[in-house]
């Protein structure tokens, strides 16, 4: 039903909270680039309001916002073809987020595994914003009536909650089909890129050791060093993926190779069947450097002209607001807010 009523529109976002990893690139940015020109309107956001759910140094937040915008552009997001902007410049996100705080139920938030992971045993001390985070994320998506949301595996539950919020709003206010039911798009071999030192943990910006992740700003030498030192096991590569069960580090490197080379993991394992790590790791390092170095070089060039990045974000925010504001105005009317000016 959603497809027929609503324009095919993609929305996704990434937090400007510290450096970007290979997980962000393969699980998100690269897939955002692939969705351009595929019959969707594409809207990509730097979600700075989500970033502040945990403490961010203000100067570093500005830097990380521009750096993430540079990463999007350097990776192939074309600001003329996609809408690229930072969340806080379009006030509809916060405004719809409040309404959704009043639609979503506390019990729904209590089921969010990412909150439980992030809050840990410290749940009384974390910000209220961290708790309400998924409701703002629902507003990000639904203030554009977005129908498709490309994300990594870890965000699936939040997109499902977005669907629940849309359904409850439509039901409570008797406006069937007003908000679409957005589809999470979780595809490809890099749904969950794992830590290079422990293949059972996700590669993340915040892990303790820099050797466990690849950052998008790492030099070619550092990328090669990290991949060559990545934890593995003594066995050579098998000729099929089933035989990688119980070998999470090996599986992760095969998946990274597949994602970087636009192949399936099956194709990679058949190409490297029987290979020792001494052959596979240098090939992976060369591939990673080949794909990532031009991006980090371009990012650095873009970062030399922050005013130009700000101009691109301003233009993107205007285009985003032109879609979001009429949808927000209609939502206010549905909710019963008097608008007398
Ligand atoms: P974040 O950095 O948490 O704002 O994440 C931004 C996007 O990157 C989301 O779509 C995440 O699912 C994705 N992402 C982050 N880390 C990984 C990872 N290790 N593997 C795959 N996708 C990831
Ligand atoms: N919560 C996402 C993450 O941590 C980032 C995000 C915020 C997002 N708003 C979004 C992703 C809307 C997709 C759509 O990765």
């Amino acid at each position: 039903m959603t497809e027929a009523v609503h324009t095919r529109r993609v929305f996704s976002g990434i937090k400007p909270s510290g450096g970007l990893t290979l997980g962000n690139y393969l699980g998100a940015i690269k897939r955002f680039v692939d969705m351009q020109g595929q019959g969707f309107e594409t809207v990509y956001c730097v979600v700075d309001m989500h970033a502040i759910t945990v403490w961010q140094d203000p100067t570093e937040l500005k830097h990380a916002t521009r750096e993430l915008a540079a990463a999007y552009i350097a990776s192939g997001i074309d600001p003329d073809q996609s809408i690229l902007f930072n969340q806080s410049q379009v006030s509809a996100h916060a405004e719809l987020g409040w309404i959704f705080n009043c639609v979503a139920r506390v019990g729904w938030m209590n089921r969010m595994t990412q909150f439980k992971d992030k809050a840990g045993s410290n749940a009384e001390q974390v910000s209220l914003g961290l708790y309400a985070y998924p409701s703002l994320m629902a507003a990000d998506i639904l203030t554009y009536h977005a129908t498709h949301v490309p994300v990594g595996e870890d965000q699936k539950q939040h997109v499902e909650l977005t669907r629940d919020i849309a359904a409850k709003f439509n039901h409570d206010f008797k406006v069937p089909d007003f908000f679409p039911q957005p589809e999470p798009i979780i595809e490809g071999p890099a749904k969950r890129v794992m830590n290079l030192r422990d293949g059972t943990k996700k590669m993340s910006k915040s892990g303790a050791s820099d050797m466990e992740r690849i950052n998008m700003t790492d030099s070619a030498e550092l990328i090669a060093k990290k991949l060559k030192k990545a934890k593995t096991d003594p066995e050579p590569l098998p000729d099929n993926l089933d035989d990688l069960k119980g070998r999470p580090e090996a599986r992760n490197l095969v998946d990274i190779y597949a994602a970087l080379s636009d192949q399936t993991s099956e194709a990679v394992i058949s190409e490297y069947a029987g290979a020792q790590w001494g052959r596979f790791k240098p090939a992976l390092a060369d591939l990673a450097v080949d794909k990532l170095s031009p991006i980090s070089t371009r990012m650095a060039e873009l970062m030399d002209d922050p005013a130009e990045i700000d101009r691109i974000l301003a233009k993107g925010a205007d285009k985003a607001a032109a879609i979001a504001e009429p949808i927000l105005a209609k939502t206010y009317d549905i909710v019963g807010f008097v608008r007398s000016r």
Side-chain angles (χ1 to χ4, degrees):
M1 190 149 40
T2 285
E3 287 281 316
V5 177
H6 296 281
T7 309
R8 283 161 64 83
R9 187 175 285 140
V10 168
F11 183 95
S12 199
I14 300 178
K15 295 188 294 289
S17 49
L20 288 160
T21 69
L22 183 65
N24 293 127
Y25 177 66
L26 294 177
I29 303 179
K30 183 170 186 295
R31 299 176 46 235
F32 301 175
V33 174
D34 293 341
M35 289 185 97
Q36 286 185 134
Q38 300 295 315
F40 298 102
E41 275 185 36
T42 41
V43 185
Y44 297 126
C45 191
V46 177
V47 288
D48 46 8
M49 293 166 64
H50 276 105
I52 65 160
T53 54
V54 299
W55 170 252
Q56 304 295 327
D57 174 83
T59 306
E60 281 168 24
L61 179 60
K62 287 184 180 171
H63 180 265
T65 297
R66 295 185 178 112
E67 190 172 76
L68 176 51
Y72 273 127
I73 298 166
S75 303
I77 300 296
D78 172 358
D80 291 325
Q81 199 181 344
S82 293
I83 297 178
L84 174 61
F85 71 109
N86 60 313
Q87 188 185 26
S88 61
Q89 293 211 71
V90 179
S91 61
H93 294 246
E95 294 171 88
L96 189 59
W98 178 256
I99 292 175
F100 287 169
N101 281 344
C102 303
V103 173
R105 306 289 94 182
V106 167
W108 299 2
M109 297 294 156
N110 287 340
R111 285 196 286 277
M112 295 295 111
T113 54
Q114 184 166 307
F115 177 78
K116 289 186 215 168
D117 291 347
K118 286 196 174 184
S121 54
N122 198 27
E124 295 284 310
Q125 294 306 318
V126 298
S127 75
L128 189 53
L130 189 68
Y131 189 64
Y133 178 117
S135 164
L136 179 61
M137 178 160 161
D140 297 340
I141 296 167
L142 294 173
T143 197
Y144 298 92
H145 278 180
T147 51
H148 295 78
V149 185
V151 280
E153 179 79 35
D154 61 337
Q155 295 302 312
K156 184 165 185 239
Q157 194 184 32
H158 289 161
V159 182
E160 283 165 357
L161 184 94
T162 301
R163 294 166 66 94
D164 291 342
I165 291 177
K168 181 161 165 55
F169 183 98
N170 291 350
H171 175 265
D172 288 355
F173 293 101
K174 301 187 178 55
V175 284
D177 291 335
F178 178 65
F179 285 120
Q181 286 281 293
E183 291 285 339
I185 311 289
I186 301 168
E187 297 175 334
K191 296 176 211 44
R192 197 169 160 82
V193 177
M194 307 308 277
N195 179 319
L196 298 178
R197 312 296 311 171
D198 176 352
T200 64
K201 288 195 191 138
K202 195 181 79 157
M203 182 183 288
S204 83
K205 295 162 177 170
S206 53
S209 155
D210 196 53
M211 288 303 283
E212 68 188 43
R213 64 180 161 263
I214 292 187
N215 305 300
M216 286 185 74
T217 49
D218 283 348
S219 67
E221 296 71 40
L222 192 54
I223 293 172
K225 180 174 158 198
K226 286 177 177 177
L227 287 171
K228 287 182 188 159
K229 293 208 163 187
K231 183 176 166 201
T232 41
D233 51 38
E235 302 299 317
L237 283 170
D239 61 5
N240 68 86
L241 291 178
D242 280 346
D243 288 351
L244 283 179
K245 282 211 180 86
R247 298 175 64 188
E249 288 84 12
R251 176 65 202 246
N252 187 39
L253 295 185
V254 168
D255 289 345
I256 291 174
Y257 191 105
L260 283 169
S261 59
D262 289 310
Q263 300 182 69
T264 59
S265 302
E266 285 82 0
V268 174
I269 203 82
S270 47
E271 186 185 340
Y272 284 95
Q276 302 287 343
W277 293 110
R279 177 154 88 90
F280 186 76
K281 279 183 168 180
L284 175 60
D286 285 350
L287 173 67
V289 167
D290 240 37
K291 299 285 177 182
L292 299 175
S293 278
I295 298 176
S296 64
T297 306
R298 182 77 190 114
M299 274 172 76
E301 286 165 11
L302 289 160
M303 288 300 281
D304 278 343
D305 189 358
E308 174 59 14
I309 295 179
D310 291 5
R311 277 191 290 277
I312 291 171
L313 291 173
K315 232 166 114 182
D318 285 343
K319 289 195 271 180
I323 300 174
E325 278 168 11
I327 292 174
L328 180 73
K330 181 84 181 107
T331 309
Y332 273 23
D333 185 56
I334 291 168
V335 167
F337 291 161
V338 172
R339 313 216 87 192
S340 56
R341 58 175 179 82

